[in-house]
Amino acid sequence: MTATAPTPLSAELEQPLLAVEAALNQLGDALARRDAAAIEQHSAELHQHLARAVQSFTEAARTGSVPPALRNRLVRAGGLLAAQRESLARGNASLDRALDVLIPSEPTGLYGAGGKAERRSVGGGSFTA
């Protein structure tokens, strides 16, 4: 297999893609450490780098073809982003369940939000006179 020389287009797309990959790795490390400040910082950086990369790749796709190697790297970066998003969603769901245990969502007062009296029936049925 022969190596091809990088084209100006490849070099132009390489920089934003490297920034996205670096930001994804830093965010992954912050997620593993559960460092909220670092997660916030790296998420913001990733957002900026992704916007630049998408703009660069969109322009490149309009004017010429995107090199397959860079396209594959962008697809892998998208997969890693999806995995991190899923990890955050699972963490959120776990936190929500823990909060539901600690702070029950069932009303315990005598009056509901609408000002009407709330009644609890032991059998779950309706009241009869």
Side-chain angles (χ1 to χ4, degrees):
M1 193 186 314
T2 59
T4 58
T7 64
L9 178 62
S10 296
E12 190 177 303
L13 296 176
E14 181 77 19
Q15 291 305 316
L17 186 55
L18 283 172
V20 166
E21 291 169 339
L24 279 169
N25 289 332
Q26 291 171 336
L27 179 58
D29 292 343
L31 287 168
R33 291 190 319 267
R34 296 182 179 181
D35 182 348
I39 291 170
E40 184 71 27
Q41 176 189 349
H42 296 307
S43 294
E45 291 170 1
L46 176 60
H47 187 294
Q48 293 171 350
H49 294 308
L50 276 171
R52 286 187 201 115
V54 166
Q55 181 180 7
S56 297
F57 274 80
T58 301
E59 289 173 11
R62 285 185 193 141
T63 60
S65 65
V66 176
L70 291 178
R71 185 179 306 122
N72 290 339
R73 284 176 53 198
L74 185 62
V75 168
R76 280 195 305 271
L80 181 56
L81 179 63
Q84 288 179 351
R85 186 180 297 136
E86 178 67 23
S87 174
L88 282 173
R90 287 182 183 172
N92 246 358
S94 177
L95 179 61
D96 287 345
R97 286 191 301 273
L99 286 174
D100 284 344
V101 169
L102 295 172
I103 307 168
S105 60
E106 187 176 327
T108 57
L110 297 175
Y111 296 96
K116 295 183 179 179
E118 294 180 351
R119 295 184 184 174
R120 291 188 193 174
S121 61
V122 177
S126 61
F127 292 99
T128 56

